[in-house]
Amino acid sequence: MASQDEQNGKTGLLLAFLCVSTSSLALGAAKSPDADAIVDLARSVSNLPPSWTAGADICGYEGVTCDKDSGRVTTIDLRDKGLAGTLPSSALSSLAAVTALHLGGNRLAGAVPSLASLASLALVVLDGNAFTSLPADFLKDVPSLRDLSLDSLPLQPWSLPEAIPSLSLEYFSASAANLAGPFPANLPCSSLTTLRLNRNNLSGPIDAVASLKSLTVLMIDHNSFSGPIPDLSGMSQLETFSAGDNLLTGLVPASMTKMPSLRRVSLANNLLQGPMPEFGHGVDTDVLGNDFCHPEPGRPCDAQVTALLQVAAGFGYPLQLSRNWYGNTTCNSKDGTASWVGVVCNGTDVTEVSLQQMNLSGTISPAFANLTAVVRLNLSGNHLAGAIPDALATMPRLALLDVTNNNLRGQIPKFKPSVQVMAQGNRFGKSVPPPAAGVPAGTTAGSPPAGTVSSSLPANSASRFNLGIIANVILALVIANWG
């Protein structure tokens, strides 16, 4: 039988062991300063892995990695776990050491939590969830972010300038994420190598693309982008350019076909015109579903087609022309009709171009002068700016030029006396020549020779001109009789 001293000694050892054990458990439970945040996260999310049990060390949770020294959470990777519920901003905002947040392939809903001020955060993947909105400060003050993926999210319509500040991103993907508005002009251009914005509701021109000099992959297909493809020759690292299923117009830039870095080009199902582009060997291309003038790559278009496409270039290749100006024949050689809107033919020659009141902007192209058979040119009632090109004064058969009611400036070129120039309603300065006797204000030169003006002259234009002459003649007769 043990003595009293021996029993006291054993009791002391037991108490000491219990104290040490209890202390160790307490230290284990409070091992990570982020324990409260992770527990808060667990309360809002269902279908978490079995290791996420109350009272366990959060650094042992599946998908959670901690720094060994500080115990702080550095990564959360719970991709494709079937998670449901919401993500509270209060839980994530305190994870000051987290560098990666990968929650793709789940069923998380509600608003995307704000990740503002997480200075160490470098990667965020939220693909394929059920998030419906992004807070305005979603990524405010997150200077380390390099990879951001927001694919296949049923978000309310949003635009990049609203939610994505100027970050040093290298990879950004927001495909099928209900993006709307214009192409983002304020994306960081110094470090971005991959940009995927396909299958959204983006629209307008893509000129800003050319500023992203470091891109290797650009995917903007299945949107509503319009206008011409800009010169991409400054993007010396671009390997993939995918812009199919948009409303792009105009010619494929020749510089694009010579880019040595390109490996894949998709331009299918747009409204592109001119010669079919001819890319180098080894470039995987898809250019079907456009309005090229020939199915043979590199083959030039008819001279009149080329001239009219150059005319359209001055207007910025507007959709209303691109939808009608296609093919390689402007005039039907059998009956002299024209299938191109605003174009009138005589045999195989374009004799009239009437594009009045078509909401055109841009400038008047000197390429009109290459249409040497044109008798009548009507560009009235648009928003054209700049000057009337001097080349128009060299058109050998031109009898009528109507540019009334635009925003033209500069000087009116010196046309032949046989050319009627109607130019009122513009912003010409003192350089506008005074009207000749019997010609309405804003017009210059004499009447066109008989038979040279198309009979398709609009009634309102012809009536204004004829009434002006009649009024002046009557006035002259009255004055003469009074004299």
Side-chain angles (χ1 to χ4, degrees), residues 28-43 56-59 61 71-73 94-95:
K31 181 178 179 180
S32 173
D34 296 322
D36 290 342
I38 296 300
V39 170
D40 189 19
L41 176 66
R43 292 193 187 101
D57 180 5
I58 66 163
C59 294
Y61 285 1
R72 305 222 62 161
V73 174
S94 62
L95 300 177

mmCIF file of all heavy atoms in Angstrom, residues 28-43 56-59 61 71-73 94-95:
data_model
loop_
_atom_site.group_PDB
_atom_site.id
_atom_site.type_symbol
_atom_site.label_atom_id
_atom_site.label_comp_id
_atom_site.label_asym_id
_atom_site.label_seq_id
_atom_site.Cartn_x
_atom_site.Cartn_y
_atom_site.Cartn_z
ATOM 1 N N GLY A 28 -4.016 24.798 -29.129
ATOM 2 C CA GLY A 28 -4.413 24.241 -30.412
ATOM 3 C C GLY A 28 -5.673 24.903 -30.924
ATOM 4 O O GLY A 28 -5.805 25.210 -32.091
ATOM 5 N N ALA A 29 -6.654 25.124 -30.013
ATOM 6 C CA ALA A 29 -7.912 25.722 -30.435
ATOM 7 C C ALA A 29 -7.713 27.147 -30.908
ATOM 8 O O ALA A 29 -8.422 27.631 -31.776
ATOM 9 C CB ALA A 29 -8.910 25.675 -29.293
ATOM 10 N N ALA A 30 -6.753 27.860 -30.333
ATOM 11 C CA ALA A 30 -6.503 29.248 -30.703
ATOM 12 C C ALA A 30 -5.259 29.382 -31.556
ATOM 13 O O ALA A 30 -4.643 30.420 -31.605
ATOM 14 C CB ALA A 30 -6.357 30.095 -29.445
ATOM 15 N N LYS A 31 -4.920 28.284 -32.221
ATOM 16 C CA LYS A 31 -3.674 28.253 -32.990
ATOM 17 C C LYS A 31 -3.648 29.316 -34.074
ATOM 18 O O LYS A 31 -2.639 29.974 -34.294
ATOM 19 C CB LYS A 31 -3.497 26.869 -33.602
ATOM 20 C CG LYS A 31 -2.228 26.707 -34.417
ATOM 21 C CD LYS A 31 -2.138 25.283 -34.937
ATOM 22 C CE LYS A 31 -0.877 25.101 -35.776
ATOM 23 N NZ LYS A 31 -0.774 23.714 -36.281
ATOM 24 N N SER A 32 -4.777 29.515 -34.775
ATOM 25 C CA SER A 32 -4.816 30.476 -35.863
ATOM 26 C C SER A 32 -5.569 31.732 -35.460
ATOM 27 O O SER A 32 -6.679 31.651 -34.911
ATOM 28 C CB SER A 32 -5.488 29.865 -37.093
ATOM 29 O OG SER A 32 -5.663 30.845 -38.091
ATOM 30 N N PRO A 33 -4.998 32.898 -35.716
ATOM 31 C CA PRO A 33 -5.736 34.148 -35.455
ATOM 32 C C PRO A 33 -6.969 34.291 -36.347
ATOM 33 O O PRO A 33 -7.809 35.150 -36.095
ATOM 34 C CB PRO A 33 -4.700 35.237 -35.786
ATOM 35 C CG PRO A 33 -3.369 34.558 -35.737
ATOM 36 C CD PRO A 33 -3.620 33.152 -36.177
ATOM 37 N N ASP A 34 -7.072 33.437 -37.389
ATOM 38 C CA ASP A 34 -8.205 33.519 -38.313
ATOM 39 C C ASP A 34 -9.302 32.520 -37.984
ATOM 40 O O ASP A 34 -10.222 32.319 -38.791
ATOM 41 C CB ASP A 34 -7.726 33.282 -39.752
ATOM 42 C CG ASP A 34 -6.762 34.360 -40.219
ATOM 43 O OD1 ASP A 34 -6.983 35.530 -39.864
ATOM 44 O OD2 ASP A 34 -5.803 34.043 -40.946
ATOM 45 N N ALA A 35 -9.224 31.896 -36.816
ATOM 46 C CA ALA A 35 -10.203 30.865 -36.466
ATOM 47 C C ALA A 35 -11.622 31.411 -36.455
ATOM 48 O O ALA A 35 -12.552 30.778 -36.987
ATOM 49 C CB ALA A 35 -9.855 30.259 -35.112
ATOM 50 N N ASP A 36 -11.830 32.580 -35.877
ATOM 51 C CA ASP A 36 -13.183 33.146 -35.796
ATOM 52 C C ASP A 36 -13.747 33.404 -37.192
ATOM 53 O O ASP A 36 -14.938 33.181 -37.443
ATOM 54 C CB ASP A 36 -13.176 34.443 -34.988
ATOM 55 C CG ASP A 36 -12.922 34.193 -33.504
ATOM 56 O OD1 ASP A 36 -13.096 33.039 -33.066
ATOM 57 O OD2 ASP A 36 -12.558 35.152 -32.801
ATOM 58 N N ALA A 37 -12.905 33.887 -38.106
ATOM 59 C CA ALA A 37 -13.364 34.180 -39.465
ATOM 60 C C ALA A 37 -13.778 32.909 -40.186
ATOM 61 O O ALA A 37 -14.813 32.859 -40.869
ATOM 62 C CB ALA A 37 -12.267 34.898 -40.242
ATOM 63 N N ILE A 38 -12.994 31.849 -40.023
ATOM 64 C CA ILE A 38 -13.322 30.584 -40.692
ATOM 65 C C ILE A 38 -14.581 29.970 -40.085
ATOM 66 O O ILE A 38 -15.430 29.418 -40.804
ATOM 67 C CB ILE A 38 -12.140 29.606 -40.591
ATOM 68 C CG1 ILE A 38 -10.922 30.171 -41.347
ATOM 69 C CG2 ILE A 38 -12.520 28.253 -41.153
ATOM 70 C CD1 ILE A 38 -11.148 30.414 -42.814
ATOM 71 N N VAL A 39 -14.734 30.062 -38.768
ATOM 72 C CA VAL A 39 -15.951 29.571 -38.125
ATOM 73 C C VAL A 39 -17.167 30.354 -38.606
ATOM 74 O O VAL A 39 -18.243 29.786 -38.865
ATOM 75 C CB VAL A 39 -15.813 29.654 -36.588
ATOM 76 C CG1 VAL A 39 -17.160 29.380 -35.916
ATOM 77 C CG2 VAL A 39 -14.767 28.671 -36.092
ATOM 78 N N ASP A 40 -17.001 31.671 -38.749
ATOM 79 C CA ASP A 40 -18.082 32.514 -39.270
ATOM 80 C C ASP A 40 -18.444 32.104 -40.696
ATOM 81 O O ASP A 40 -19.626 32.038 -41.065
ATOM 82 C CB ASP A 40 -17.638 33.975 -39.228
ATOM 83 C CG ASP A 40 -18.775 34.933 -39.537
ATOM 84 O OD1 ASP A 40 -19.939 34.520 -39.438
ATOM 85 O OD2 ASP A 40 -18.497 36.090 -39.910
ATOM 86 N N LEU A 41 -17.423 31.786 -41.488
ATOM 87 C CA LEU A 41 -17.653 31.320 -42.858
ATOM 88 C C LEU A 41 -18.433 30.008 -42.853
ATOM 89 O O LEU A 41 -19.370 29.818 -43.647
ATOM 90 C CB LEU A 41 -16.317 31.153 -43.566
ATOM 91 C CG LEU A 41 -16.329 30.589 -44.984
ATOM 92 C CD1 LEU A 41 -17.013 31.566 -45.922
ATOM 93 C CD2 LEU A 41 -14.911 30.317 -45.465
ATOM 94 N N ALA A 42 -18.056 29.114 -41.976
ATOM 95 C CA ALA A 42 -18.697 27.801 -41.915
ATOM 96 C C ALA A 42 -20.173 27.905 -41.551
ATOM 97 O O ALA A 42 -20.980 27.067 -41.961
ATOM 98 C CB ALA A 42 -17.962 26.918 -40.910
ATOM 99 N N ARG A 43 -20.553 28.905 -40.763
ATOM 100 C CA ARG A 43 -21.950 29.073 -40.384
ATOM 101 C C ARG A 43 -22.843 29.412 -41.577
ATOM 102 O O ARG A 43 -24.044 29.149 -41.560
ATOM 103 C CB ARG A 43 -22.080 30.184 -39.339
ATOM 104 C CG ARG A 43 -21.477 29.865 -37.980
ATOM 105 C CD ARG A 43 -21.923 30.877 -36.952
ATOM 106 N NE ARG A 43 -21.244 30.700 -35.674
ATOM 107 C CZ ARG A 43 -20.224 31.445 -35.259
ATOM 108 N NH1 ARG A 43 -19.771 32.438 -36.033
ATOM 109 N NH2 ARG A 43 -19.645 31.223 -34.094
ATOM 110 N N ALA A 56 -12.283 21.738 -33.990
ATOM 111 C CA ALA A 56 -11.031 21.250 -34.575
ATOM 112 C C ALA A 56 -10.154 22.420 -34.996
ATOM 113 O O ALA A 56 -10.604 23.556 -35.136
ATOM 114 C CB ALA A 56 -11.330 20.354 -35.775
ATOM 115 N N ASP A 57 -8.896 22.134 -35.172
ATOM 116 C CA ASP A 57 -7.936 23.135 -35.625
ATOM 117 C C ASP A 57 -8.273 23.504 -37.067
ATOM 118 O O ASP A 57 -8.272 22.652 -37.951
ATOM 119 C CB ASP A 57 -6.524 22.561 -35.529
ATOM 120 C CG ASP A 57 -5.455 23.555 -35.991
ATOM 121 O OD1 ASP A 57 -5.817 24.717 -36.296
ATOM 122 O OD2 ASP A 57 -4.283 23.158 -36.057
ATOM 123 N N ILE A 58 -8.582 24.775 -37.322
ATOM 124 C CA ILE A 58 -8.985 25.183 -38.675
ATOM 125 C C ILE A 58 -7.879 24.938 -39.692
ATOM 126 O O ILE A 58 -8.150 24.765 -40.882
ATOM 127 C CB ILE A 58 -9.413 26.658 -38.720
ATOM 128 C CG1 ILE A 58 -8.217 27.580 -38.432
ATOM 129 C CG2 ILE A 58 -10.577 26.928 -37.782
ATOM 130 C CD1 ILE A 58 -8.463 29.011 -38.858
ATOM 131 N N CYS A 59 -6.629 24.921 -39.268
ATOM 132 C CA CYS A 59 -5.526 24.678 -40.192
ATOM 133 C C CYS A 59 -5.472 23.223 -40.638
ATOM 134 O O CYS A 59 -4.698 22.863 -41.521
ATOM 135 C CB CYS A 59 -4.192 25.085 -39.553
ATOM 136 S SG CYS A 59 -4.078 26.872 -39.254
ATOM 137 N N TYR A 61 -8.464 21.869 -41.568
ATOM 138 C CA TYR A 61 -9.634 21.760 -42.436
ATOM 139 C C TYR A 61 -9.204 21.479 -43.869
ATOM 140 O O TYR A 61 -8.226 22.054 -44.374
ATOM 141 C CB TYR A 61 -10.429 23.062 -42.427
ATOM 142 C CG TYR A 61 -11.244 23.321 -41.175
ATOM 143 C CD1 TYR A 61 -11.250 22.433 -40.099
ATOM 144 C CD2 TYR A 61 -12.026 24.464 -41.078
ATOM 145 C CE1 TYR A 61 -11.998 22.693 -38.965
ATOM 146 C CE2 TYR A 61 -12.785 24.735 -39.948
ATOM 147 C CZ TYR A 61 -12.762 23.846 -38.895
ATOM 148 O OH TYR A 61 -13.500 24.109 -37.774
ATOM 149 N N GLY A 71 0.338 30.890 -38.140
ATOM 150 C CA GLY A 71 -0.961 30.239 -38.046
ATOM 151 C C GLY A 71 -2.049 30.918 -38.858
ATOM 152 O O GLY A 71 -3.213 30.504 -38.816
ATOM 153 N N ARG A 72 -1.705 31.934 -39.628
ATOM 154 C CA ARG A 72 -2.706 32.661 -40.414
ATOM 155 C C ARG A 72 -3.049 31.891 -41.685
ATOM 156 O O ARG A 72 -2.210 31.211 -42.271
ATOM 157 C CB ARG A 72 -2.208 34.055 -40.773
ATOM 158 C CG ARG A 72 -1.788 34.879 -39.564
ATOM 159 C CD ARG A 72 -2.253 36.302 -39.676
ATOM 160 N NE ARG A 72 -3.701 36.436 -39.729
ATOM 161 C CZ ARG A 72 -4.348 37.581 -39.469
ATOM 162 N NH1 ARG A 72 -3.650 38.666 -39.149
ATOM 163 N NH2 ARG A 72 -5.659 37.647 -39.540
ATOM 164 N N VAL A 73 -4.308 32.002 -42.102
ATOM 165 C CA VAL A 73 -4.781 31.332 -43.302
ATOM 166 C C VAL A 73 -4.161 32.005 -44.524
ATOM 167 O O VAL A 73 -4.242 33.230 -44.696
ATOM 168 C CB VAL A 73 -6.310 31.377 -43.395
ATOM 169 C CG1 VAL A 73 -6.796 30.813 -44.735
ATOM 170 C CG2 VAL A 73 -6.932 30.616 -42.240
ATOM 171 N N SER A 94 -11.235 39.802 -42.881
ATOM 172 C CA SER A 94 -10.199 39.795 -41.844
ATOM 173 C C SER A 94 -9.062 38.824 -42.143
ATOM 174 O O SER A 94 -8.114 38.721 -41.354
ATOM 175 C CB SER A 94 -10.827 39.440 -40.488
ATOM 176 O OG SER A 94 -11.383 38.142 -40.535
ATOM 177 N N LEU A 95 -9.137 38.125 -43.284
ATOM 178 C CA LEU A 95 -8.086 37.155 -43.619
ATOM 179 C C LEU A 95 -6.916 37.895 -44.270
ATOM 180 O O LEU A 95 -6.676 37.805 -45.474
ATOM 181 C CB LEU A 95 -8.642 36.077 -44.549
ATOM 182 C CG LEU A 95 -9.809 35.256 -43.999
ATOM 183 C CD1 LEU A 95 -10.306 34.273 -45.038
ATOM 184 C CD2 LEU A 95 -9.389 34.529 -42.725
#
